[in-house]
Each structure stands twice: as C-alpha cells, then as structure tokens.
Amino acid sequence: MTTHAEPRSSEARAAIILAAGQGTRMKSPLPKVLHPVGGRAMLDHAIDAAEALGCERIVVVVGSHSPEVRAHVVARLGEDAIAVQDPPLGTGHAVRAAEAVLGDFVGQVVITYGDVPLLRAADIEPVFAQTEGVRVIGFEARDPGAYGRLVMDGETLTAITEAKEASAEVLAITACNSGVMAAPIGLLFELLAEVKNENAKGEYYLTDVVELARGRGAPTRAVMADEDAVMGVNAQGELAVAEALFQKVQRETFLAAGVTMAAPDTVHFSWDTEVGGGTTIEPYVVFGPGAKIAPGARIRSFSHIEGATVAGGAEVGPYARLRPGAKLAEGVKVGNFVEVKNVSMAAGAKANHLAYLGDGEVGAKANIGAGTIFCNYDGFFKHRTTVGEGAFVGSNTSLVAPVTIGAGAMVGSGSVITSDVAPGDLGLARAPQTAKAGWAAKFMEMMRAKKARG
C-alpha cells in the first residue's frame, strides 16, 4: 500500500536507489532486492516511494552480478534508469555511479535503498522540508548494536560515526543512521568527489559526506523516522520480520476502514489489496496481488484470492480459490473447493462446491453443479465456455470448450458436453444405464468361495 506525500517545495526532485549489494546472507538464488514483501519486490516498494515523492528522475544503481535486477528495473523504468556499480567499493562509490546518468538534472536528490521495503514517501518527505545542505534520516534504535551513530549538537548533525570506529561515549548514543540522505545534487557530487577510502575496508563511505559538508560550512541536519520504517533486510529472518510489520499495518488500515476480521492476525494482504468497508473476512484468508473486494462481500475461511474482483453481496469460500481474471458480480456464491480462473460470473450465479471454472462466463442465476469442470485446455490452446443466464449444469459434468450452454438450458449429471446446448434444451451425453439381474449376488458368492479356499 503506497503512502503519498505532498511535495513541500517546488524544486525538482530525483532519487538514487542503491540496489547493487550481492545479498549473500539471503542464501537464495533470487537477488535480495527482488524478494517480496506483501507480494511485491522490495525494490518496487522503494521505487513506489520515490514516485510518490514526485521524483522526476529515478536512478537505480545495480551490480553487474545481478542481471535479473537490471532487467526488473528496465521493465519498469526503462534503460535510462540504470547505473552500474562495478566493482562494489562502498555506498559513496555506488552513489557516484549515478552521477552520469542524472546528467543535467538540477534540484534535490534523495538516496534510498532497494532492501528497505517499509520506507514510505511520508517518512522521506521531511528531508525535503529544507533544501540547503545535507539531511539524513535517523531513528531511535531499540538496540543500537552495529548501527552508525548520529552525533548531534542541538539540531545540527556533527558526524555519523560507524560503530566499529566509535568511542564508548558515542556508542552510548541511541540515535542511529538509516542511510537515507538528501542534498542538492551539485553539492552532493562535489562532496562525494572528496570522499577518501582510507579505512579498513578500502571503501568510499557515503557517511563521510556529513563531515565534508560541515567543513564547507554547509548545514547538516537529521530528521527522525520510526525504526520499523527504515529497517533493512539482509537475511531471511529479517525478511519475515518485514513481512510481519507490513501485514500489521495493512490489518490496522482495513480494520479502521470498517472491514470485519474476527482474527486479523490470520489474514494476509498484498501491497495492492483493496477491501471495502462492511466486508467480512473470516480467519485464514490470503490475498495475492490484484485482489479487489467491494463493500459488503463475505470472504470465508481458507480462501485464496489473487487478481480477482468480488462485488458486494458475493460470498467466497470456505476453501475457495479465485485466480487472475475471476470476476464475481453481486450475489454470486463460490463455495468450498471451487477454483475460478478468468471467468466472469453474473449476478446470483452459483458454484457451491467442487468445481473448476476456467476461461469463460457464467450468466446470471446460473447454477453450476458439484464436480463440474470447464475443460478449457486442449494441450496447446485455451478455449472458452459460456453458460447462459438461468442455466442448470448438473453434477459431475465436463464442458469441453469451446462450448456454449444456452440461457435456461439444462445439462444432465455426469455428461461430457462437446457441442453447444441451445437455450431451453436438455443436454445429455452419457451411456444408457443397464441392469443385469442377479449378477452382483452371483459374483459376490463366487468371490467369497475363492477367498475361503485361500
């Protein structure tokens, strides 16, 4: 869920998002910044925040080791949003990689991170309240540990000191550096050009910019954000914490909007989930990306909804699955163990249990019996099934697409329908029933005798 922030200055803005880290602690073949929180890549959360800030230029710094990250950025922002850091020589070096890409941009630039998924535009906006000098976002740490400390003199930031280089007095400080920084673009790159790599790692630290700015007499300030908002993700455990924090905010937001959840901790939302007030969500429901639930719907337990729209008065579940393209109108009932994919169901239509509906449409007040299957795939192509208004499809029916069941038509249970059924007609496609008198009794007697003989 993207939080927008109204710009407080008319000065142009740009964002540099650092996403070149190798993320080895994730121990995953998926690049770190592409791991999802709320069903969306962490990097996309960072881009969302930059866009919500009104940044007219966004540059993502990637590493040559992660072509997947580069492809992801190009698909969303285009090739001109890419800067490459190769080899990786620290955060200051990474920011400098974006200098040529920004070209003749003039204005304020903010530096954020592709592995900080909970940072929103509203959290970043305060660094733009002033447009002179260097501004950083800090936070009060519950456990300062290895975080860089913000050394303050009143409202002035005098230094950012890395924990491993800090005195005991500085280590006692609980105000820590998030890494997010803003400055006029000209000043930022002038200062970065002066940063040295005279440290144990031989890297160029972005934090050195603060001391260099003070040496020039430029203002240096810190604004504070909530610790949870600026948490970085470097390992799977931290990813799980970020997901839990994201879900907590989502649940609180929907509860405040009038959504009823008896057990909100068991309901999981995606970043773009839409749920209208007056909707009831029972325990253990999962919303994948693209779910839109109108006011007054009821989502019952153990249902999974992704890429689907549900109108008011509709009921889903329990144990139902709505896949992308599912569209449920008012009063539709999709019951237990029913899967709907790319099917529109008109008002009052029902599929109460044990059915697969894929690629097609179901008319108003039509009834889909238990065990019905839309046979939509022939091994090469997908085909559509149409069930007309008021039609009745009997249990254990296979509708082999492309096929149309006309309005008011009926299909007998157990049928395999391969041809259209005209409106008002009855479609049957099953072998006639036969009875062989006494056959079962004779068979059982024979088998019992065989078993007795051993």
Side-chain angles (χ1 to χ4, degrees), residues 98-122:
E99 184 173 5
V101 179
L102 284 168
D104 58 358
F105 173 82
V106 176
Q108 298 289 322
V109 62
V110 63
I111 300 154
T112 66
Y113 298 82
D115 59 0
V116 182
L118 305 181
L119 189 65
R120 300 292 180 257

Side-chain angles (χ1 to χ4, degrees), residues 44 95 132-133 153 195 205 234 245 248 310 318 323 370 392 416 452:
D44 281 321
V95 175
E132 296 182 355
D153 181 6
V195 171
Y205 293 147
N234 295 294
L245 291 169
K248 180 176 182 291
V310 178
R323 293 173 58 196
F392 184 94
V416 178

Side-chain angles (χ1 to χ4, degrees), residues 185-207:
I185 189 169
L187 174 64
L188 175 67
F189 286 119
E190 286 176 12
L191 295 173
L192 282 171
E194 299 176 12
V195 171
K196 308 296 184 184
N197 66 340
E198 298 169 353
N199 52 66
K201 290 187 175 181
E203 294 184 348
Y204 299 88
Y205 293 147
L206 178 62
T207 51

